[in-house]
Amino acid sequence: MEGYNARELEPKWQAHWQQNNYYRAVRNPAQKKYYVLEMFPYPSGKLHMGHMRVYSIGDVLARFLRMRGLNVIHPMGWDAFGLPAENAAKKHGADPGEWTASNVAVMKAQLNALGLSYDWAREVTTCSPDYYRWNQWLFLLFYKNGLAYKKKSPVNWCPSCQTVLANEQVVDGGCWRCGSEVSPKELEQWFLKITAYAERLLQDLSQLKGWPEKVKVMQENWIGRSQGTDIVFTVAETGDRLKVFTTRPDTLFGVTYMVLAPEHPLLSKLIAGSSREKEIRDFVQQSRRESEMERTSAETEKIGLFTGAHAVNPINGEKIPILVGNYVLMSYGTGAVMGVPAHDQRDFLFADAYGLPVRVVVNPPAKDLTAAPLEEAYEGTGTLVNSGEFNGMPNTEAQKAITEWLIRHDCGGFRVRYRLRDWLISRQRYWGTPIPIVYCPQCGPVAVPEKDLPVLLPTGIDLAAAKQSPLPESEDFVQARCPQCGGTARRETDTMDTFFCSSWYYLRYADPHHEKAPFSKEEVDYWLPVDQYIGGIEHAVLHLLYSRFFTKFLFDQGLVAIEEPFQRLLAQGMVYKDGAKMSKSLGNVVSPDEIIERYGADTGRLFILFAAPPERDLDWNEQGVEGCYRFLRRVWRLFQQNMDIFASEAKTTATSQETPALCPEAETLQRALHFAIKKVTVDIEERFNFNTAISAIMELVNAVYGYFNTLDGKPERNVPLLRQTLKNIVLLLAPFAPHITAELWHRCGFEGSVHRQPWPVYNPQYLQVEEAEIVIQVNGRVRDRMLLPVDSPREELLTAARRQEKIKPYLQDKEEIKTIVVPGKLVNFVVR
RNA sequence: GCGGGCGUGGCGGAACUGGCAGACGCGCAGGACUUAGGAUCCUGUGGGGCAACCUGUAAGGGUUCAAAUCCCUUCGCCCGCACCA
């Protein structure tokens, strides 16, 4: 008997699929489409288990849905700009483009070795000019709409990557890529005005029914909407207006001091001439050197210094001291906060430390806080006191009333603020999309005209010699003509954040070779939105937020008809080994190559899907892999041992649906078959529980072996039923293990490819059992079981149950209080 | 501190709307076939007990005829946000 040889048959089928453009997706308005997408990889040159997991999940879905009759688009490409290529170039003297291209070739081969069903005709590589010219085009579209702008501001600088980072790319005060601590740096940089979309990005989260709650919450936190009031104070000494933002305007009468951020623009004016000017300047210098992370960490002591200036409270004309404090951030609100120690615990502690006065202005119900010194701030609701004309008003009402008062007196108003900042997209690196702007001494910054796109990244540059980005030093690149006046001008030398590329690649897949536009409306309207997106949770507020922003912008521009790019999102869990993340330093890395070599791709895919549900973390276990390998061999053997039933007459009788007069053993097998079809279908389609789908197929295979065992010594196996069962095993297994099933399908002599067959449909009639096992409980505890016709009425179940020998003693001499009957399932006697 | 999630055998995990806890796989034990097997096939496998039976889903309480599932309290773990004014 021929053994299962994955190493031989897998490459054979892979080649077959590729040569025939097997998974090509073509727009067909008559057919319902389904867009399955996994986050595209950075072409590092090494496929790891995390990749194998996402792509296996996506592939099962794509293959399953094709069999379900949908027009499935399942594309793949490369997020190919970025630092590693540049670093490799420096280290090994390679050209980043060539380095990337050779990595792409390696990884593409690895993906194909997994048997993934991609439409490679749609392959997209972001570092190719065909792609990045549209990055530039989109940038200009943002620019024309006032959504791309340049400003000087303190930005996050990663000293190791030698570039700035967006806020989203700073994790725990460190660079998301390398972990180095970022420090503030004052630079003029390009931003995208994502804050203009803050409200819609927040509101539309509620439309995303197919997204994990967790990701939505993370985005909500990140956007950080906060409703409050802007209040304008006046500086007593200079007459300057000083604006604060507060969520508690009702406590305005309780303000006893004000604190400014060290970066506050008014600060130097306020301290000029003060006796403590030098001390304050030193403090400001020191604070500016520290990162936001350091300044705002819970352990950092709150420091405040009196500036010598005072602010006048608009509502009562009171003069209060203005301090400067390390904990106030220029980047949120107005960079100035009012201090209300009586009603904010943080202010309370601060006031306590600096001997600032505390004034109660909100009394809780039935208690007077003004009677004795406070022990802590009262942050709850209550009635206003010490608040002039607002005394006696419930504080929730006063929030509105006081703000309205401020509006009437032109010194404030309602205001919604967000934590979200504009997206910093400049990078001081070479390997990225050049920002299509030239600086003209006459005209200032000028957009490169569309016809001159793409602005090509110069190639053949010796990166090893360059300090950081070689672009500013490349005269050929920098020198330009001003599109407006024709004079000599200089090109922008910063490149774009690579997250710009990945914010719209899923649109390009719909129409990857379009030369006149990033994509045509026709194709995008048919294929988009992505129906199922799959990827890591690490992009919860990076890529996923940026992409939503892009889509909304493109919607507003009339370029797409959708407002949300990803209908459903699956955040897959991580792959661990021995309880720890796979890493070189721990030496617990298992590579997909290794698994393919030893067991084959089908085994690897099966294990990775079987070991845990997709959203959960997975522990790689060699013995578990072995188990899946064993299962596939068991399937293989089942076919080898029964190949005779598919011979000669197979084609003539295989379609016969009628299988009259089955013996009980055959009936059990038939039921197992239809049950498995049902279970596998539901598990893939509705629940994404591939692990239980696979276990259902295993059970079916076990049932076939079981059938043979019961047959021992009996007349004949039921050939039509077996044929039907085996055929369906191949179909059910096809999305999970595409190679072995293609081979078996072929060997059995069936027409066409297993991957183009319609998905099997179960017959509910065959699921019905005549007799069901009924559980008999007494006081909720199982005491016995009995076999009865499924449709036995209540009364019959009860009498039959009472007649059971094991039940009798429990009912004797007892009072029956109640009986519960769940038809077809259980009987419960409640006795006393 | 706030928000999200989780806690089930020796292990990975099942148990859809409350209705037989532990499907399936791993591991382990026994048997069969075999010169042999780490191949394969069969059987058993939460714990305790010879058994009837008892007990068991992080801990404690509650609702219910019936709870892994619903409610309350506590503990533990993971993730996100965190002087955000």
Side-chain angles (χ1 to χ4, degrees):
Chain A
M1 193 176 73
E2 191 185 337
Y4 168 49
N5 188 344
R7 221 174 313 177
E8 203 171 280
L9 64 89
E10 291 189 350
K12 182 181 88 183
W13 287 104
Q14 286 154 13
H16 177 73
W17 296 329
Q18 275 166 64
Q19 280 154 20
N20 294 289
N21 283 321
Y22 218 76
Y23 301 106
R24 192 66 198 274
V26 179
R27 181 167 59 93
N28 172 10
Q31 196 184 5
K32 205 175 162 206
K33 67 90 189 182
Y34 197 99
Y35 193 160
V36 180
L37 182 65
E38 302 102 49
M39 290 180 185
F40 66 167
Y42 177 80
S44 61
K46 272 223 157 5
L47 198 75
H48 56 68
M49 278 303 169
H51 290 128
M52 179 163 175
R53 191 171 187 198
V54 218
Y55 301 139
S56 298
I57 292 167
D59 199 53
V60 168
L61 261 185
R63 289 181 181 276
F64 169 76
L65 292 166
R66 268 186 215 111
M67 291 173 82
R68 285 296 251 181
L70 292 160
N71 191 12
V72 171
I73 181 174
H74 188 216
M76 182 41 72
W78 313 98
D79 188 10
F81 268 137
L83 263 185
E86 224 170 307
N87 292 338
K90 284 197 164 182
K91 211 164 150 193
H92 307 116
D95 177 75
E98 284 164 20
W99 183 85
T100 304
S102 77
N103 282 351
V104 163
V106 171
M107 274 179 100
K108 191 168 174 178
Q110 286 178 309
L111 292 179
N112 280 327
L114 285 172
L116 303 168
S117 61
Y118 294 123
D119 177 358
W120 284 112
R122 294 176 183 274
E123 182 176 3
V124 150
T125 307
T126 60
C127 68
S128 130
D130 301 343
Y131 186 85
Y132 72 68
R133 70 172 295 176
W134 300 113
N135 278 343
Q136 295 172 341
W137 188 90
L138 288 166
F139 174 88
L140 293 175
L141 193 62
F142 278 112
Y143 184 68
K144 284 175 208 150
N145 283 277
L147 292 173
Y149 65 95
K150 202 170 193 193
K151 77 167 176 197
K152 189 168 186 176
S153 74
V155 291
N156 311 300
W157 176 261
C158 172
S160 143
C161 298
Q162 287 282 302
T163 187
V164 297
L165 299 168
N167 279 333
E168 289 80 12
Q169 294 155 26
V170 179
V171 181
D172 289 334
C175 170
W176 72 290
R177 184 194 306 283
C178 68
S180 315
E181 195 181 332
V182 303
S183 54
K185 195 166 179 173
E186 188 88 6
L187 285 171
E188 199 176 342
Q189 299 283 291
W190 285 97
F191 289 85
L192 288 191
K193 211 174 212 167
I194 189 171
T195 53
Y197 284 79
E199 192 60 34
R200 279 163 74 188
L201 288 168
L202 180 69
Q203 288 306 320
D204 291 352
L205 284 173
S206 61
Q207 285 179 26
L208 302 175
K209 303 266 186 283
W211 280 43
E213 200 52 39
K214 183 180 178 151
V215 175
K216 289 194 275 186
V217 167
M218 282 166 75
Q219 292 211 354
E220 198 180 317
N221 284 340
W222 188 260
I223 296 167
R225 184 184 201 273
S226 143
Q227 177 122 33
T229 298
D230 274 355
I231 303 173
V232 180
F233 287 64
T234 317
V235 179
E237 288 79 2
T238 66
D240 284 298
R241 287 160 69 87
L242 188 49
K243 195 190 269 182
V244 300
F245 174 68
T246 179
T247 52
R248 292 293 305 272
D250 53 314
T251 63
L252 185 53
F253 285 87
V255 176
T256 56
Y257 63 96
M258 181 176 297
V259 189
L260 304 186
E263 300 88 349
H264 199 282
L266 225 50
L267 189 62
S268 55
K269 190 172 174 189
L270 299 187
I271 59 172
S274 142
S275 57
R276 302 178 68 184
E277 189 174 342
K278 166 114 188 28
E279 191 187 341
I280 293 174
R281 286 200 189 282
D282 289 347
F283 170 71
V284 167
Q285 282 309 309
Q286 157 113 37
S287 295
R288 286 181 162 212
R289 271 197 297 275
E290 287 172 2
S291 64
E292 268 194 22
M293 179 72 184
E294 288 167 327
R295 269 170 57 185
T296 60
S297 113
E299 287 89 62
T300 308
E301 196 199 343
K302 279 192 201 180
I303 302 168
L305 295 175
F306 178 47
T307 58
H310 295 82
V312 179
N313 188 333
I315 206 149
N316 58 9
E318 216 168 78
K319 270 171 76 174
I320 52 167
I322 301 176
L323 289 80
V324 54
N326 59 342
Y327 70 98
V328 179
L329 306 174
M330 196 59 221
S331 52
Y332 185 78
T334 61
V337 298
M338 59 186 216
V340 187
H343 302 291
D344 183 297
Q345 185 59 20
R346 298 160 315 192
D347 291 350
F348 183 85
L349 295 171
F350 186 77
D352 197 44
Y354 286 91
L356 294 156
V358 178
R359 185 194 298 145
V360 171
V361 290
V362 178
N363 255 340
K367 203 174 165 203
D368 185 14
L369 295 177
T370 58
L374 283 182
E375 296 287 315
E376 56 175 8
Y378 174 68
E379 297 183 338
T381 55
T383 340
L384 262 60
V385 292
N386 288 330
S387 297
E389 60 183 281
F390 301 95
N391 279 341
M393 192 182 275
N395 77 310
T396 43
E397 236 172 83
Q399 301 196 338
K400 210 176 149 220
I402 290 183
T403 306
E404 278 163 357
W405 187 97
L406 292 166
I407 293 169
R408 279 200 303 279
H409 293 81
D410 195 28
C411 49
F414 294 105
R415 180 71 192 251
V416 174
R417 292 195 182 265
Y418 303 89
R419 207 182 75 108
L420 181 73
R421 304 294 143 71
D422 278 341
W423 172 16
L424 193 173
I425 55 155
S426 306
R427 294 292 178 273
Q428 291 69 50
R429 304 298 317 196
Y430 162 70
W431 194 235
T433 307
I435 294 175
I437 294 284
V438 295
Y439 298 99
C440 170
Q442 309 302 320
C443 316
V446 181
V448 173
E450 227 174 272
K451 64 174 172 55
D452 295 341
L453 296 184
V455 175
L456 284 172
L457 199 58
T459 47
I461 279 186
D462 183 10
L463 278 158
K467 276 201 297 289
Q468 29 169 304
S469 172
L471 291 183
E473 286 151 41
S474 165
E475 275 307 309
D476 285 350
F477 177 76
V478 171
Q479 278 181 15
R481 294 250 147 238
C482 170
Q484 249 167 53
C485 68
T488 45
R490 295 183 68 77
R491 246 176 233 297
E492 168 67 66
T493 55
D494 280 353
T495 54
M496 295 183 203
D497 183 1
T498 56
F499 280 100
F500 196 106
C501 304
S502 54
S503 294
W504 68 281
Y505 76 106
Y506 48 89
L507 298 167
R508 183 71 179 172
Y509 279 146
D511 195 7
H513 308 297
H514 203 104
E515 288 177 0
K516 301 271 186 301
F519 44 78
S520 68
K521 191 135 194 329
E522 202 177 31
E523 294 289 339
V524 162
D525 284 354
Y526 175 72
W527 291 114
L528 273 283
V530 172
D531 294 278
Q532 180 66 57
Y533 200 25
I534 309 159
I537 188 92
E538 67 274 16
H539 286 113
V541 286
L542 289 157
H543 163 60
L544 291 169
L545 188 67
Y546 298 147
S547 297
R548 294 183 61 224
F549 163 50
F550 263 58
T551 303
K552 289 182 191 305
F553 171 65
L554 294 172
F555 173 83
D556 289 351
Q557 293 298 311
L559 293 175
V560 301
I562 48 160
E563 286 198 69
E564 285 292 339
F566 313 124
Q567 199 83 137
R568 295 167 55 101
L569 173 71
L570 181 85
Q572 105 275 4
M574 297 212 284
V575 182
Y576 288 90
K577 175 135 194 291
D578 313 318
K581 205 174 162 175
M582 282 191 189
S583 78
K584 260 192 224 139
S585 57
L586 285 167
N588 61 352
V589 178
V590 182
S591 82
D593 285 346
E594 210 175 312
I595 296 303
I596 293 171
E597 171 66 22
R598 264 228 292 287
Y599 305 98
D602 283 344
T603 297
R605 292 168 56 124
L606 206 62
F607 171 74
I608 216 162
L609 296 163
F610 179 65
E615 68 279 4
R616 221 186 290 186
D617 289 340
L618 175 153
D619 202 83
W620 190 268
N621 175 300
E622 202 64 30
Q623 284 169 328
V625 181
E626 200 80 52
C628 288
Y629 187 48
R630 207 175 298 167
F631 168 68
L632 288 182
R633 290 204 316 259
R634 194 165 147 89
V635 171
W636 181 266
R637 219 161 31 240
L638 186 62
F639 279 81
Q640 293 303 305
Q641 286 162 354
N642 294 280
M643 218 28 112
D644 58 313
I645 65 174
F646 295 106
S648 59
E649 92 274 41
K651 280 162 203 126
T652 54
T653 48
T655 47
S656 130
Q657 283 295 320
E658 291 312 306
T659 38
L662 295 178
C663 64
E665 291 82 8
E667 214 169 83
T668 306
L669 178 59
Q670 180 174 258
R671 194 177 311 115
L673 168 62
H674 287 265
F675 180 78
I677 295 174
K678 183 181 180 184
K679 172 102 176 126
V680 174
T681 308
V682 170
D683 282 354
I684 301 178
E685 195 156 54
E686 291 167 27
R687 310 199 313 146
F688 281 67
N689 281 8
F690 305 127
N691 54 336
T692 51
I694 293 168
S695 80
I697 304 173
M698 289 172 167
E699 279 177 280
L700 178 57
V701 171
N702 289 346
V704 181
Y705 275 90
Y707 171 71
F708 282 122
N709 284 326
T710 58
L711 230 53
D712 241 14
K714 285 204 183 143
E716 284 256 332
R717 56 191 182 160
N718 184 326
V719 171
L721 175 64
L722 271 175
R723 206 182 280 145
Q724 208 193 343
T725 307
L726 294 200
K727 180 178 177 180
N728 279 302
I729 287 173
V730 182
L731 290 168
L732 292 176
L733 196 56
F736 301 97
H739 310 90
I740 189 177
T741 49
E743 179 73 16
L744 289 173
W745 187 262
H746 176 71
R747 288 191 178 212
C748 290
F750 294 122
E751 291 294 324
S753 158
V754 67
H755 299 296
R756 287 192 175 153
Q757 300 306 309
W759 186 253
V761 178
Y762 72 95
N763 184 341
Q765 192 190 317
Y766 296 140
L767 288 181
Q768 277 166 20
V769 272
E770 263 142 50
E771 297 209 304
E773 191 182 61
I774 309 291
V775 170
I776 311 171
Q777 297 182 332
V778 179
N779 288 338
R781 312 184 61 120
V782 182
R783 294 302 176 184
D784 202 7
R785 297 138 209 265
M786 56 189 178
L787 271 179
L788 281 181
V790 265
D791 47 0
S792 305
R794 198 188 145 82
E795 288 313 314
E796 263 170 50
L797 287 173
L798 283 173
T799 30
R802 285 201 183 90
R803 233 179 275 138
Q804 298 288 311
E805 285 305 321
K806 285 171 88 175
I807 295 302
K808 280 181 184 164
Y810 289 104
L811 300 181
Q812 232 161 32
D813 307 322
K814 295 275 167 55
E815 186 194 346
E816 262 183 50
I817 299 167
K818 203 175 179 182
T819 49
I820 283 102
V821 179
V822 182
K825 272 190 177 160
L826 109 177
V827 173
N828 187 8
F829 295 99
V830 187
V831 300
R832 189 157 49 196

